PDB file of all heavy atoms in Angstrom:
ATOM      1  N   VAL A   1     -27.158  25.028 -10.078  1.00 88.00           N
ATOM      2  CA  VAL A   1     -27.996  25.586 -11.136  1.00 88.00           C
ATOM      3  C   VAL A   1     -27.168  25.751 -12.401  1.00 88.00           C
ATOM      4  O   VAL A   1     -26.034  26.251 -12.343  1.00 88.00           O
ATOM      5  CB  VAL A   1     -28.601  26.949 -10.719  1.00 88.00           C
ATOM      6  CG1 VAL A   1     -29.422  27.538 -11.863  1.00 88.00           C
ATOM      7  CG2 VAL A   1     -29.453  26.793  -9.471  1.00 88.00           C
ATOM      8  N   CYS A   2     -27.726  25.319 -13.549  1.00 88.00           N
ATOM      9  CA  CYS A   2     -27.068  25.498 -14.845  1.00 88.00           C
ATOM     10  C   CYS A   2     -27.652  26.730 -15.534  1.00 88.00           C
ATOM     11  O   CYS A   2     -28.876  26.883 -15.602  1.00 88.00           O
ATOM     12  CB  CYS A   2     -27.285  24.283 -15.743  1.00 88.00           C
ATOM     13  SG  CYS A   2     -26.581  22.764 -15.115  1.00 88.00           S
ATOM     14  N   ARG A   3     -26.771  27.584 -16.053  1.00 84.00           N
ATOM     15  CA  ARG A   3     -27.214  28.773 -16.794  1.00 84.00           C
ATOM     16  C   ARG A   3     -27.007  28.500 -18.284  1.00 84.00           C
ATOM     17  O   ARG A   3     -25.876  28.533 -18.784  1.00 84.00           O
ATOM     18  CB  ARG A   3     -26.408  29.997 -16.361  1.00 84.00           C
ATOM     19  CG  ARG A   3     -26.438  30.265 -14.861  1.00 84.00           C
ATOM     20  CD  ARG A   3     -25.673  31.546 -14.513  1.00 84.00           C
ATOM     21  NE  ARG A   3     -24.338  31.557 -15.097  1.00 84.00           N
ATOM     22  CZ  ARG A   3     -23.279  30.942 -14.565  1.00 84.00           C
ATOM     23  NH1 ARG A   3     -23.414  30.267 -13.438  1.00 84.00           N
ATOM     24  NH2 ARG A   3     -22.099  31.008 -15.135  1.00 84.00           N
ATOM     25  N   LEU A   4     -28.102  28.236 -18.973  1.00 83.00           N
ATOM     26  CA  LEU A   4     -28.044  27.917 -20.395  1.00 83.00           C
ATOM     27  C   LEU A   4     -28.672  29.039 -21.216  1.00 83.00           C
ATOM     28  O   LEU A   4     -29.450  29.845 -20.699  1.00 83.00           O
ATOM     29  CB  LEU A   4     -28.782  26.602 -20.666  1.00 83.00           C
ATOM     30  CG  LEU A   4     -28.338  25.383 -19.842  1.00 83.00           C
ATOM     31  CD1 LEU A   4     -29.169  24.162 -20.205  1.00 83.00           C
ATOM     32  CD2 LEU A   4     -26.859  25.102 -20.031  1.00 83.00           C
ATOM     33  N   GLU A   5     -28.310  29.058 -22.511  1.00 79.00           N
ATOM     34  CA  GLU A   5     -28.847  30.050 -23.455  1.00 79.00           C
ATOM     35  C   GLU A   5     -28.659  31.466 -22.909  1.00 79.00           C
ATOM     36  O   GLU A   5     -29.599  32.268 -22.858  1.00 79.00           O
ATOM     37  CB  GLU A   5     -30.317  29.759 -23.755  1.00 79.00           C
ATOM     38  CG  GLU A   5     -30.540  28.384 -24.380  1.00 79.00           C
ATOM     39  CD  GLU A   5     -32.011  28.046 -24.575  1.00 79.00           C
ATOM     40  OE1 GLU A   5     -32.861  28.950 -24.378  1.00 79.00           O
ATOM     41  OE2 GLU A   5     -32.301  26.892 -24.923  1.00 79.00           O
ATOM     42  N   ASP A   6     -27.408  31.763 -22.538  1.00 78.00           N
ATOM     43  CA  ASP A   6     -27.039  33.091 -22.019  1.00 78.00           C
ATOM     44  C   ASP A   6     -27.869  33.490 -20.809  1.00 78.00           C
ATOM     45  O   ASP A   6     -28.224  34.669 -20.629  1.00 78.00           O
ATOM     46  CB  ASP A   6     -27.182  34.157 -23.115  1.00 78.00           C
ATOM     47  CG  ASP A   6     -26.208  33.923 -24.259  1.00 78.00           C
ATOM     48  OD1 ASP A   6     -25.095  33.443 -23.992  1.00 78.00           O
ATOM     49  OD2 ASP A   6     -26.570  34.214 -25.417  1.00 78.00           O
ATOM     50  N   GLY A   7     -28.188  32.515 -19.969  1.00 76.00           N
ATOM     51  CA  GLY A   7     -28.909  32.801 -18.742  1.00 76.00           C
ATOM     52  C   GLY A   7     -30.412  32.846 -18.895  1.00 76.00           C
ATOM     53  O   GLY A   7     -31.126  32.996 -17.889  1.00 76.00           O
ATOM     54  N   LYS A   8     -30.932  32.689 -20.114  1.00 79.00           N
ATOM     55  CA  LYS A   8     -32.380  32.713 -20.314  1.00 79.00           C
ATOM     56  C   LYS A   8     -33.033  31.422 -19.840  1.00 79.00           C
ATOM     57  O   LYS A   8     -34.248  31.386 -19.633  1.00 79.00           O
ATOM     58  CB  LYS A   8     -32.697  32.949 -21.791  1.00 79.00           C
ATOM     59  CG  LYS A   8     -32.183  34.278 -22.325  1.00 79.00           C
ATOM     60  CD  LYS A   8     -32.460  34.399 -23.817  1.00 79.00           C
ATOM     61  CE  LYS A   8     -31.884  35.701 -24.374  1.00 79.00           C
ATOM     62  NZ  LYS A   8     -32.109  35.795 -25.847  1.00 79.00           N
ATOM     63  N   ARG A   9     -32.248  30.377 -19.717  1.00 84.00           N
ATOM     64  CA  ARG A   9     -32.782  29.074 -19.315  1.00 84.00           C
ATOM     65  C   ARG A   9     -31.997  28.567 -18.118  1.00 84.00           C
ATOM     66  O   ARG A   9     -30.786  28.332 -18.208  1.00 84.00           O
ATOM     67  CB  ARG A   9     -32.669  28.100 -20.487  1.00 84.00           C
ATOM     68  CG  ARG A   9     -33.126  26.681 -20.184  1.00 84.00           C
ATOM     69  CD  ARG A   9     -32.862  25.822 -21.407  1.00 84.00           C
ATOM     70  NE  ARG A   9     -33.157  24.419 -21.178  1.00 84.00           N
ATOM     71  CZ  ARG A   9     -32.761  23.435 -22.004  1.00 84.00           C
ATOM     72  NH1 ARG A   9     -32.076  23.723 -23.094  1.00 84.00           N
ATOM     73  NH2 ARG A   9     -33.063  22.182 -21.725  1.00 84.00           N
ATOM     74  N   LEU A  10     -32.665  28.416 -17.004  1.00 86.00           N
ATOM     75  CA  LEU A  10     -32.027  27.939 -15.784  1.00 86.00           C
ATOM     76  C   LEU A  10     -32.538  26.536 -15.468  1.00 86.00           C
ATOM     77  O   LEU A  10     -33.746  26.296 -15.447  1.00 86.00           O
ATOM     78  CB  LEU A  10     -32.338  28.872 -14.611  1.00 86.00           C
ATOM     79  CG  LEU A  10     -31.853  30.325 -14.754  1.00 86.00           C
ATOM     80  CD1 LEU A  10     -32.250  31.130 -13.526  1.00 86.00           C
ATOM     81  CD2 LEU A  10     -30.350  30.386 -14.987  1.00 86.00           C
ATOM     82  N   VAL A  11     -31.615  25.622 -15.225  1.00 88.00           N
ATOM     83  CA  VAL A  11     -31.957  24.239 -14.906  1.00 88.00           C
ATOM     84  C   VAL A  11     -31.415  23.923 -13.522  1.00 88.00           C
ATOM     85  O   VAL A  11     -30.203  24.023 -13.286  1.00 88.00           O
ATOM     86  CB  VAL A  11     -31.371  23.258 -15.947  1.00 88.00           C
ATOM     87  CG1 VAL A  11     -31.735  21.818 -15.580  1.00 88.00           C
ATOM     88  CG2 VAL A  11     -31.863  23.598 -17.346  1.00 88.00           C
ATOM     89  N   SER A  12     -32.291  23.537 -12.615  1.00 87.00           N
ATOM     90  CA  SER A  12     -31.885  23.198 -11.254  1.00 87.00           C
ATOM     91  C   SER A  12     -31.427  21.743 -11.210  1.00 87.00           C
ATOM     92  O   SER A  12     -32.186  20.840 -11.572  1.00 87.00           O
ATOM     93  CB  SER A  12     -33.057  23.402 -10.285  1.00 87.00           C
ATOM     94  OG  SER A  12     -33.477  24.751 -10.285  1.00 87.00           O
ATOM     95  N   VAL A  13     -30.192  21.525 -10.774  1.00 89.00           N
ATOM     96  CA  VAL A  13     -29.620  20.183 -10.701  1.00 89.00           C
ATOM     97  C   VAL A  13     -29.895  19.616  -9.314  1.00 89.00           C
ATOM     98  O   VAL A  13     -29.506  20.208  -8.296  1.00 89.00           O
ATOM     99  CB  VAL A  13     -28.107  20.195 -10.979  1.00 89.00           C
ATOM    100  CG1 VAL A  13     -27.548  18.771 -10.933  1.00 89.00           C
ATOM    101  CG2 VAL A  13     -27.830  20.824 -12.337  1.00 89.00           C
ATOM    102  N   LEU A  14     -30.582  18.472  -9.279  1.00 87.00           N
ATOM    103  CA  LEU A  14     -30.946  17.841  -8.019  1.00 87.00           C
ATOM    104  C   LEU A  14     -29.921  16.803  -7.614  1.00 87.00           C
ATOM    105  O   LEU A  14     -29.179  16.272  -8.438  1.00 87.00           O
ATOM    106  CB  LEU A  14     -32.325  17.185  -8.140  1.00 87.00           C
ATOM    107  CG  LEU A  14     -33.474  18.088  -8.605  1.00 87.00           C
ATOM    108  CD1 LEU A  14     -34.743  17.267  -8.741  1.00 87.00           C
ATOM    109  CD2 LEU A  14     -33.665  19.253  -7.656  1.00 87.00           C
ATOM    110  N   SER A  15     -29.920  16.491  -6.343  1.00 84.00           N
ATOM    111  CA  SER A  15     -29.083  15.433  -5.795  1.00 84.00           C
ATOM    112  C   SER A  15     -29.981  14.306  -5.309  1.00 84.00           C
ATOM    113  O   SER A  15     -30.908  14.546  -4.523  1.00 84.00           O
ATOM    114  CB  SER A  15     -28.229  15.960  -4.643  1.00 84.00           C
ATOM    115  OG  SER A  15     -27.666  14.893  -3.904  1.00 84.00           O
ATOM    116  N   VAL A  16     -29.732  13.098  -5.786  1.00 83.00           N
ATOM    117  CA  VAL A  16     -30.534  11.952  -5.354  1.00 83.00           C
ATOM    118  C   VAL A  16     -30.423  11.766  -3.850  1.00 83.00           C
ATOM    119  O   VAL A  16     -31.423  11.520  -3.160  1.00 83.00           O
ATOM    120  CB  VAL A  16     -30.094  10.678  -6.103  1.00 83.00           C
ATOM    121  CG1 VAL A  16     -30.768   9.441  -5.507  1.00 83.00           C
ATOM    122  CG2 VAL A  16     -30.434  10.786  -7.581  1.00 83.00           C
ATOM    123  N   ASN A  17     -29.216  11.886  -3.336  1.00 79.00           N
ATOM    124  CA  ASN A  17     -29.035  11.688  -1.896  1.00 79.00           C
ATOM    125  C   ASN A  17     -29.847  12.700  -1.083  1.00 79.00           C
ATOM    126  O   ASN A  17     -30.430  12.366  -0.052  1.00 79.00           O
ATOM    127  CB  ASN A  17     -27.550  11.791  -1.535  1.00 79.00           C
ATOM    128  CG  ASN A  17     -26.762  10.610  -2.040  1.00 79.00           C
ATOM    129  OD1 ASN A  17     -27.309   9.516  -2.202  1.00 79.00           O
ATOM    130  ND2 ASN A  17     -25.478  10.808  -2.311  1.00 79.00           N
ATOM    131  N   ARG A  18     -29.881  13.955  -1.567  1.00 78.00           N
ATOM    132  CA  ARG A  18     -30.639  14.965  -0.840  1.00 78.00           C
ATOM    133  C   ARG A  18     -32.143  14.752  -0.988  1.00 78.00           C
ATOM    134  O   ARG A  18     -32.910  15.061  -0.069  1.00 78.00           O
ATOM    135  CB  ARG A  18     -30.256  16.359  -1.326  1.00 78.00           C
ATOM    136  CG  ARG A  18     -28.818  16.733  -1.018  1.00 78.00           C
ATOM    137  CD  ARG A  18     -28.515  18.147  -1.448  1.00 78.00           C
ATOM    138  NE  ARG A  18     -27.112  18.486  -1.243  1.00 78.00           N
ATOM    139  CZ  ARG A  18     -26.585  19.689  -1.496  1.00 78.00           C
ATOM    140  NH1 ARG A  18     -27.371  20.643  -1.969  1.00 78.00           N
ATOM    141  NH2 ARG A  18     -25.313  19.910  -1.287  1.00 78.00           N
ATOM    142  N   MET A  19     -32.570  14.232  -2.138  1.00 77.00           N
ATOM    143  CA  MET A  19     -33.996  13.971  -2.349  1.00 77.00           C
ATOM    144  C   MET A  19     -34.519  12.942  -1.363  1.00 77.00           C
ATOM    145  O   MET A  19     -35.662  13.017  -0.902  1.00 77.00           O
ATOM    146  CB  MET A  19     -34.234  13.482  -3.780  1.00 77.00           C
ATOM    147  CG  MET A  19     -34.126  14.566  -4.840  1.00 77.00           C
ATOM    148  SD  MET A  19     -34.023  13.865  -6.508  1.00 77.00           S
ATOM    149  CE  MET A  19     -35.475  12.831  -6.555  1.00 77.00           C
ATOM    150  N   PHE A  20     -33.647  11.968  -1.034  1.00 75.00           N
ATOM    151  CA  PHE A  20     -34.073  10.883  -0.147  1.00 75.00           C
ATOM    152  C   PHE A  20     -33.236  10.866   1.134  1.00 75.00           C
ATOM    153  O   PHE A  20     -32.930   9.826   1.682  1.00 75.00           O
ATOM    154  CB  PHE A  20     -33.958   9.545  -0.877  1.00 75.00           C
ATOM    155  CG  PHE A  20     -34.776   9.485  -2.136  1.00 75.00           C
ATOM    156  CD1 PHE A  20     -34.174   9.586  -3.374  1.00 75.00           C
ATOM    157  CD2 PHE A  20     -36.155   9.346  -2.072  1.00 75.00           C
ATOM    158  CE1 PHE A  20     -34.926   9.547  -4.537  1.00 75.00           C
ATOM    159  CE2 PHE A  20     -36.913   9.296  -3.238  1.00 75.00           C
ATOM    160  CZ  PHE A  20     -36.301   9.403  -4.476  1.00 75.00           C
ATOM    161  N   ASP A  21     -32.878  12.066   1.590  1.00 70.00           N
ATOM    162  CA  ASP A  21     -32.002  12.163   2.756  1.00 70.00           C
ATOM    163  C   ASP A  21     -32.730  11.854   4.053  1.00 70.00           C
ATOM    164  O   ASP A  21     -32.132  11.409   5.023  1.00 70.00           O
ATOM    165  CB  ASP A  21     -31.392  13.574   2.809  1.00 70.00           C
ATOM    166  CG  ASP A  21     -30.315  13.686   3.873  1.00 70.00           C
ATOM    167  OD1 ASP A  21     -29.401  12.844   3.846  1.00 70.00           O
ATOM    168  OD2 ASP A  21     -30.387  14.594   4.705  1.00 70.00           O
ATOM    169  N   SER A  22     -34.014  12.051   4.053  1.00 65.00           N
ATOM    170  CA  SER A  22     -34.781  11.867   5.289  1.00 65.00           C
ATOM    171  C   SER A  22     -34.852  10.383   5.660  1.00 65.00           C
ATOM    172  O   SER A  22     -35.204   9.553   4.819  1.00 65.00           O
ATOM    173  CB  SER A  22     -36.195  12.425   5.115  1.00 65.00           C
ATOM    174  OG  SER A  22     -37.038  11.966   6.138  1.00 65.00           O
ATOM    175  N   PRO A  23     -34.532  10.010   6.897  1.00 64.00           N
ATOM    176  CA  PRO A  23     -34.665   8.607   7.322  1.00 64.00           C
ATOM    177  C   PRO A  23     -36.086   8.098   7.169  1.00 64.00           C
ATOM    178  O   PRO A  23     -36.299   6.929   6.851  1.00 64.00           O
ATOM    179  CB  PRO A  23     -34.235   8.640   8.800  1.00 64.00           C
ATOM    180  CG  PRO A  23     -33.393   9.867   8.932  1.00 64.00           C
ATOM    181  CD  PRO A  23     -33.969  10.856   7.981  1.00 64.00           C
ATOM    182  N   GLU A  24     -37.073   8.992   7.390  1.00 62.00           N
ATOM    183  CA  GLU A  24     -38.461   8.565   7.253  1.00 62.00           C
ATOM    184  C   GLU A  24     -38.761   8.132   5.823  1.00 62.00           C
ATOM    185  O   GLU A  24     -39.419   7.116   5.585  1.00 62.00           O
ATOM    186  CB  GLU A  24     -39.414   9.699   7.663  1.00 62.00           C
ATOM    187  CG  GLU A  24     -39.363  10.050   9.142  1.00 62.00           C
ATOM    188  CD  GLU A  24     -38.170  10.943   9.479  1.00 62.00           C
ATOM    189  OE1 GLU A  24     -37.461  11.366   8.539  1.00 62.00           O
ATOM    190  OE2 GLU A  24     -37.935  11.197  10.677  1.00 62.00           O
ATOM    191  N   VAL A  25     -38.265   8.920   4.849  1.00 63.00           N
ATOM    192  CA  VAL A  25     -38.513   8.596   3.441  1.00 63.00           C
ATOM    193  C   VAL A  25     -37.817   7.292   3.077  1.00 63.00           C
ATOM    194  O   VAL A  25     -38.385   6.429   2.398  1.00 63.00           O
ATOM    195  CB  VAL A  25     -38.046   9.748   2.536  1.00 63.00           C
ATOM    196  CG1 VAL A  25     -38.166   9.351   1.068  1.00 63.00           C
ATOM    197  CG2 VAL A  25     -38.853  11.004   2.811  1.00 63.00           C
ATOM    198  N   ARG A  26     -36.577   7.112   3.530  1.00 63.00           N
ATOM    199  CA  ARG A  26     -35.850   5.878   3.212  1.00 63.00           C
ATOM    200  C   ARG A  26     -36.553   4.663   3.810  1.00 63.00           C
ATOM    201  O   ARG A  26     -36.597   3.602   3.186  1.00 63.00           O
ATOM    202  CB  ARG A  26     -34.409   5.966   3.726  1.00 63.00           C
ATOM    203  CG  ARG A  26     -33.554   6.953   2.934  1.00 63.00           C
ATOM    204  CD  ARG A  26     -32.125   6.996   3.458  1.00 63.00           C
ATOM    205  NE  ARG A  26     -31.316   7.898   2.668  1.00 63.00           N
ATOM    206  CZ  ARG A  26     -30.623   7.533   1.589  1.00 63.00           C
ATOM    207  NH1 ARG A  26     -30.666   6.274   1.188  1.00 63.00           N
ATOM    208  NH2 ARG A  26     -29.907   8.405   0.917  1.00 63.00           N
ATOM    209  N   ASN A  27     -37.093   4.816   4.997  1.00 65.00           N
ATOM    210  CA  ASN A  27     -37.818   3.698   5.626  1.00 65.00           C
ATOM    211  C   ASN A  27     -39.087   3.380   4.844  1.00 65.00           C
ATOM    212  O   ASN A  27     -39.453   2.211   4.684  1.00 65.00           O
ATOM    213  CB  ASN A  27     -38.151   4.035   7.081  1.00 65.00           C
ATOM    214  CG  ASN A  27     -36.912   4.059   7.960  1.00 65.00           C
ATOM    215  OD1 ASN A  27     -35.902   3.428   7.632  1.00 65.00           O
ATOM    216  ND2 ASN A  27     -36.985   4.800   9.064  1.00 65.00           N
ATOM    217  N   GLU A  28     -39.773   4.432   4.349  1.00 64.00           N
ATOM    218  CA  GLU A  28     -40.972   4.205   3.541  1.00 64.00           C
ATOM    219  C   GLU A  28     -40.641   3.380   2.302  1.00 64.00           C
ATOM    220  O   GLU A  28     -41.336   2.424   1.957  1.00 64.00           O
ATOM    221  CB  GLU A  28     -41.583   5.544   3.119  1.00 64.00           C
ATOM    222  CG  GLU A  28     -42.213   6.335   4.253  1.00 64.00           C
ATOM    223  CD  GLU A  28     -42.686   7.694   3.781  1.00 64.00           C
ATOM    224  OE1 GLU A  28     -42.657   7.928   2.548  1.00 64.00           O
ATOM    225  OE2 GLU A  28     -43.074   8.519   4.610  1.00 64.00           O
ATOM    226  N   ILE A  29     -39.562   3.760   1.629  1.00 65.00           N
ATOM    227  CA  ILE A  29     -39.172   3.068   0.398  1.00 65.00           C
ATOM    228  C   ILE A  29     -38.759   1.634   0.705  1.00 65.00           C
ATOM    229  O   ILE A  29     -39.114   0.697  -0.016  1.00 65.00           O
ATOM    230  CB  ILE A  29     -38.027   3.830  -0.291  1.00 65.00           C
ATOM    231  CG1 ILE A  29     -38.531   5.200  -0.761  1.00 65.00           C
ATOM    232  CG2 ILE A  29     -37.460   3.028  -1.461  1.00 65.00           C
ATOM    233  CD1 ILE A  29     -37.436   6.103  -1.267  1.00 65.00           C
ATOM    234  N   ALA A  30     -38.012   1.457   1.797  1.00 64.00           N
ATOM    235  CA  ALA A  30     -37.525   0.123   2.143  1.00 64.00           C
ATOM    236  C   ALA A  30     -38.668  -0.852   2.395  1.00 64.00           C
ATOM    237  O   ALA A  30     -38.560  -2.045   2.120  1.00 64.00           O
ATOM    238  CB  ALA A  30     -36.612   0.204   3.361  1.00 64.00           C
ATOM    239  N   GLU A  31     -39.800  -0.345   2.890  1.00 60.00           N
ATOM    240  CA  GLU A  31     -40.935  -1.226   3.188  1.00 60.00           C
ATOM    241  C   GLU A  31     -41.536  -1.838   1.932  1.00 60.00           C
ATOM    242  O   GLU A  31     -42.131  -2.906   1.972  1.00 60.00           O
ATOM    243  CB  GLU A  31     -42.019  -0.430   3.931  1.00 60.00           C
ATOM    244  CG  GLU A  31     -41.617  -0.034   5.347  1.00 60.00           C
ATOM    245  CD  GLU A  31     -42.712   0.767   6.023  1.00 60.00           C
ATOM    246  OE1 GLU A  31     -43.822   0.820   5.451  1.00 60.00           O
ATOM    247  OE2 GLU A  31     -42.456   1.338   7.087  1.00 60.00           O
ATOM    248  N   TYR A  32     -41.372  -1.159   0.791  1.00 58.00           N
ATOM    249  CA  TYR A  32     -42.017  -1.622  -0.435  1.00 58.00           C
ATOM    250  C   TYR A  32     -41.005  -2.117  -1.457  1.00 58.00           C
ATOM    251  O   TYR A  32     -41.312  -2.272  -2.627  1.00 58.00           O
ATOM    252  CB  TYR A  32     -42.852  -0.483  -1.036  1.00 58.00           C
ATOM    253  CG  TYR A  32     -43.757   0.125  -0.020  1.00 58.00           C
ATOM    254  CD1 TYR A  32     -43.525   1.396   0.473  1.00 58.00           C
ATOM    255  CD2 TYR A  32     -44.821  -0.609   0.505  1.00 58.00           C
ATOM    256  CE1 TYR A  32     -44.342   1.950   1.434  1.00 58.00           C
ATOM    257  CE2 TYR A  32     -45.640  -0.070   1.470  1.00 58.00           C
ATOM    258  CZ  TYR A  32     -45.393   1.207   1.940  1.00 58.00           C
ATOM    259  OH  TYR A  32     -46.194   1.746   2.904  1.00 58.00           O
ATOM    260  N   ARG A  33     -39.785  -2.360  -1.023  1.00 53.00           N
ATOM    261  CA  ARG A  33     -38.754  -2.880  -1.922  1.00 53.00           C
ATOM    262  C   ARG A  33     -38.476  -4.326  -1.567  1.00 53.00           C
ATOM    263  O   ARG A  33     -38.393  -4.690  -0.401  1.00 53.00           O
ATOM    264  CB  ARG A  33     -37.463  -2.049  -1.782  1.00 53.00           C
ATOM    265  CG  ARG A  33     -36.332  -2.542  -2.662  1.00 53.00           C
ATOM    266  CD  ARG A  33     -35.133  -1.600  -2.545  1.00 53.00           C
ATOM    267  NE  ARG A  33     -34.673  -1.474  -1.173  1.00 53.00           N
ATOM    268  CZ  ARG A  33     -33.887  -2.351  -0.572  1.00 53.00           C
ATOM    269  NH1 ARG A  33     -33.469  -3.415  -1.229  1.00 53.00           N
ATOM    270  NH2 ARG A  33     -33.509  -2.171   0.667  1.00 53.00           N
ATOM    271  N   GLU A  34     -38.330  -5.164  -2.612  1.00 50.00           N
ATOM    272  CA  GLU A  34     -37.992  -6.559  -2.373  1.00 50.00           C
ATOM    273  C   GLU A  34     -36.591  -6.646  -1.788  1.00 50.00           C
ATOM    274  O   GLU A  34     -35.696  -5.875  -2.142  1.00 50.00           O
ATOM    275  CB  GLU A  34     -38.024  -7.343  -3.697  1.00 50.00           C
ATOM    276  CG  GLU A  34     -39.397  -7.567  -4.237  1.00 50.00           C
ATOM    277  CD  GLU A  34     -39.341  -8.422  -5.479  1.00 50.00           C
ATOM    278  OE1 GLU A  34     -38.421  -8.239  -6.278  1.00 50.00           O
ATOM    279  OE2 GLU A  34     -40.212  -9.283  -5.631  1.00 50.00           O
ATOM    280  N   ASP A  35     -36.397  -7.587  -0.886  1.00 43.00           N
ATOM    281  CA  ASP A  35     -35.065  -7.779  -0.314  1.00 43.00           C
ATOM    282  C   ASP A  35     -34.128  -8.293  -1.381  1.00 43.00           C
ATOM    283  O   ASP A  35     -34.401  -9.277  -2.053  1.00 43.00           O
ATOM    284  CB  ASP A  35     -35.112  -8.776   0.851  1.00 43.00           C
ATOM    285  CG  ASP A  35     -35.866  -8.205   2.040  1.00 43.00           C
ATOM    286  OD1 ASP A  35     -35.863  -6.972   2.190  1.00 43.00           O
ATOM    287  OD2 ASP A  35     -36.451  -9.017   2.806  1.00 43.00           O
ATOM    288  N   GLU A  36     -32.984  -7.596  -1.553  1.00 42.00           N
ATOM    289  CA  GLU A  36     -31.999  -7.989  -2.548  1.00 42.00           C
ATOM    290  C   GLU A  36     -30.616  -7.960  -1.911  1.00 42.00           C
ATOM    291  O   GLU A  36     -29.745  -7.199  -2.312  1.00 42.00           O
ATOM    292  CB  GLU A  36     -32.035  -7.035  -3.745  1.00 42.00           C
ATOM    293  CG  GLU A  36     -33.392  -6.985  -4.438  1.00 42.00           C
ATOM    294  CD  GLU A  36     -33.422  -5.914  -5.511  1.00 42.00           C
ATOM    295  OE1 GLU A  36     -33.591  -4.750  -5.156  1.00 42.00           O
ATOM    296  OE2 GLU A  36     -33.247  -6.254  -6.694  1.00 42.00           O
TER     297      GLU A  36
END
């Protein structure tokens, strides 16, 4: 979490790996991606 403007503004920093950490989600994406 970033504390900006003396703590009045909080920005949550996400991780791409954590967003798509689930094997089920990765398999879903792989089904609709062209082979490269």
Side-chain angles (χ1 to χ4, degrees):
V1 178
C2 297
R3 305 183 309 278
L4 306 179
E5 300 175 9
D6 295 326
K8 298 176 183 178
R9 177 184 175 194
L10 299 179
V11 180
S12 299
V13 182
L14 305 177
S15 166
V16 171
N17 289 333
R18 295 183 184 182
M19 286 166 55
F20 302 104
D21 188 53
S22 165
E24 293 80 6
V25 174
R26 289 181 178 270
N27 290 336
E28 290 175 8
I29 294 172
E31 291 179 11
Y32 309 109
R33 179 176 58 81
E34 288 184 321
D35 292 332
E36 301 173 280

